[in-house]
Amino acid sequence: MKKTTKKIISIFLISAFFLSVNVMAEENKPAVSFALGTIDISDVLSGMVPTYLQAGIAYHGIELIDGKKTTLKVLLGGARTAYTLWTDAVGDPLITTPADLDVLKFAFWQADIKAHLEQELIGNLNAYAEWNTVWALPVENIGGTASTILDSGSSAAAYPDKDGMVSNILKIGILYDTVHKGHMIEGIETELSFTAAPALLLNELFGKTDFYQANLTIEGFLPLYTIPMDGEPENQWLSLYIADRIQADYIWGSAVPQLFQKYPSLGKKMRGFEANSLGVNLTAVNNFELRASGPELVLFDMSFGYPRINLFADTGYCGGFYYNTETAGTEFTASAGVEAAVDIFNFVDIGYRYGFILAGENIAGSSSFGELFFFLHW
């Protein structure tokens, strides 16, 4: 299955690339271009390499509103991903880390197809709608031990995807974006979205999916200070700016598969807390950072990245019922620390993060944390 999936993805990406090149040769403004979606990592090589890729084509040859840009993207994704459960056999949250971590880990094969239509409204304001069909099949973890999600004694209500699932998801939203990226990021981005994945969308044919989700994300970037390099206006000895993100999710329903629990969970939004822990109806976080970026790093006359240091402070709140259970909980959390990394080709950040838990308690029960990372927190 792995070789076949890789071949299909390779053929698709190569076809999309040459189609884009052909169209660009015919017109100054291409109607078709390559589009990259989600990239994710798993337990392979300790998360050092991406194992999940979503990519496809973007079509710009239609106008739903006169003079306003319309983009239709069709993306295919697939490969192997992995998660760690922080819940027990009935879906209740763990209080402490068990001695045998293998029972918490699991991997799954995943494939999906997404159609995303985005329409410019006014200025930097866009509206979008997308349809996503996702297939997933949990498998044993890398150690070969069956995890809790695959245990025959585990609650099917808590783990509606334990035997696999096919989910159809509809999402609509609006996006306001004035962000200019680079060493010094400046601007504001606000997104409001609503996701519907009810059972009536044929979400009980294989496994069960039945949930709704509302999300609000606001990101702002404020420049503070720069030390430019002589004769190189695009490069600076130092770029200093403030970054802040407010993110709130409200998710409800009778069957939220693991694949959709990770990102709305408070543990994923907070540094120092286990990812996909603290998964309840309402989660909200504020991520504040003071970011400093250094000059371009050059090797063999080629720029390959730049160093960066972030001081961060995260505060969060969660309240409501844990996903797929009748167990309620509330918690206020806070953490702070520093990140040091090297940006590589504006794609991956290889670095180290160290910080302290200021409020709340992680499952490990530790007051400090340190970890290698390959992608920034946000």
Side-chain angles (χ1 to χ4, degrees):
M1 181 185 294
K2 188 174 182 180
K3 290 183 179 179
T4 303
T5 303
K6 285 185 175 180
K7 287 181 180 179
I8 292 173
I9 293 175
S10 298
I11 292 171
F12 181 81
L13 295 180
I14 292 170
S15 301
F17 173 77
F18 281 110
L19 178 57
S20 177
V21 170
N22 289 338
V23 174
M24 290 176 68
E26 295 173 4
E27 301 177 11
N28 291 328
K29 193 173 183 181
V32 179
S33 61
F34 174 76
L36 186 64
T38 303
I39 298 173
D40 204 354
I41 57 177
S42 68
D43 54 341
V44 174
L45 294 179
S46 301
M48 292 181 64
V49 294
T51 55
Y52 173 78
L53 172 67
Q54 189 182 65
I57 59 173
Y59 180 64
H60 314 277
I62 54 176
E63 276 191 4
L64 298 181
I65 300 177
D66 233 4
K68 303 295 183 182
K69 184 171 67 175
T70 304
T71 303
L72 174 63
K73 295 180 182 178
V74 178
L75 305 172
L76 293 177
R80 183 184 188 275
T81 52
Y83 287 113
T84 300
L85 296 172
W86 296 109
T87 48
D88 62 18
V90 296
D92 288 340
L94 295 178
I95 305 301
T96 59
T97 305
D100 183 8
L101 283 174
D102 278 349
V103 301
L104 302 181
K105 299 175 182 178
F106 72 100
F108 55 81
W109 291 104
Q110 177 187 349
D112 61 85
I113 181 169
K114 177 187 290 186
H116 178 98
L117 180 66
E118 188 161 339
Q119 175 62 54
E120 179 186 6
L121 299 177
I122 53 172
N124 299 298
L125 182 65
N126 289 6
Y128 64 85
E130 65 181 38
W131 180 276
N132 195 13
T133 299
V134 181
W135 168 82
L137 181 65
V139 295
E140 289 185 343
N141 65 41
I142 196 168
T145 304
S147 65
T148 300
I149 193 174
L150 297 173
D151 191 327
S152 59
S154 296
S155 169
Y159 303 107
D161 52 338
K162 62 184 300 179
D163 297 317
M165 58 96 179
V166 172
S167 304
N168 294 292
I169 306 104
L170 175 64
K171 182 178 181 180
I172 57 174
I174 55 174
L175 175 67
Y176 178 76
D177 186 4
T178 65
V179 174
H180 298 281
K181 296 185 177 180
H183 292 199
M184 174 84 79
I185 304 178
E186 181 179 359
I188 187 170
E189 179 179 318
T190 301
E191 182 175 4
L192 178 64
S193 66
F194 175 75
T195 301
L200 61 85
L201 291 182
L202 302 179
N203 282 338
E204 292 183 298
L205 295 179
F206 183 40
K208 182 180 180 181
T209 302
D210 184 21
F211 72 90
Y212 300 88
Q213 178 182 353
N215 169 269
L216 172 65
T217 302
I218 303 172
E219 297 179 358
F221 306 92
L222 177 65
L224 295 178
Y225 183 71
T226 61
I227 301 178
M229 296 181 69
D230 293 338
E232 297 186 52
E234 298 301 319
N235 197 6
Q236 294 91 29
W237 287 111
L238 173 69
S239 300
L240 188 66
Y241 65 98
I242 288 174
D244 193 77
R245 178 178 71 169
I246 298 171
Q247 189 176 28
D249 285 278
Y250 188 75
I251 186 169
W252 69 101
S254 64
V256 187
Q258 291 296 314
L259 192 65
F260 306 109
Q261 291 187 19
K262 183 176 181 180
Y263 291 99
S265 298
L266 183 60
K268 175 63 176 177
K269 299 184 178 83
M270 295 285 303
R271 279 162 284 201
F273 293 79
E274 292 82 2
N276 74 312
S277 65
L278 299 174
V280 297
N281 297 131
L282 174 65
T283 60
V285 73
N286 185 82
N287 305 118
F288 175 85
E289 294 182 359
L290 177 63
R291 297 180 177 180
S293 301
E296 293 276 3
L297 302 175
V298 178
L299 184 65
F300 303 119
D301 294 325
M302 180 179 70
S303 172
F304 69 90
Y306 56 91
R308 61 201 311 174
I309 296 178
N310 301 336
L311 299 178
F312 69 84
D314 296 343
T315 55
Y317 169 83
C318 68
F321 291 97
Y322 281 83
Y323 305 141
N324 307 329
T325 73
E326 295 182 358
T327 302
T330 61
E331 188 158 359
F332 174 77
T333 57
S335 64
V338 60
E339 298 172 332
V342 176
D343 173 270
I344 306 296
F345 298 124
N346 292 316
F347 172 71
V348 64
D349 287 272
I350 301 175
Y352 186 78
R353 175 185 298 127
Y354 188 81
F356 298 90
I357 304 296
L358 305 179
E361 187 174 355
N362 57 23
I363 298 172
S366 59
S367 59
S368 63
F369 56 94
E371 56 188 352
L372 289 170
F373 62 85
F374 299 90
F375 293 93
L376 289 177
H377 187 65
W378 65 285

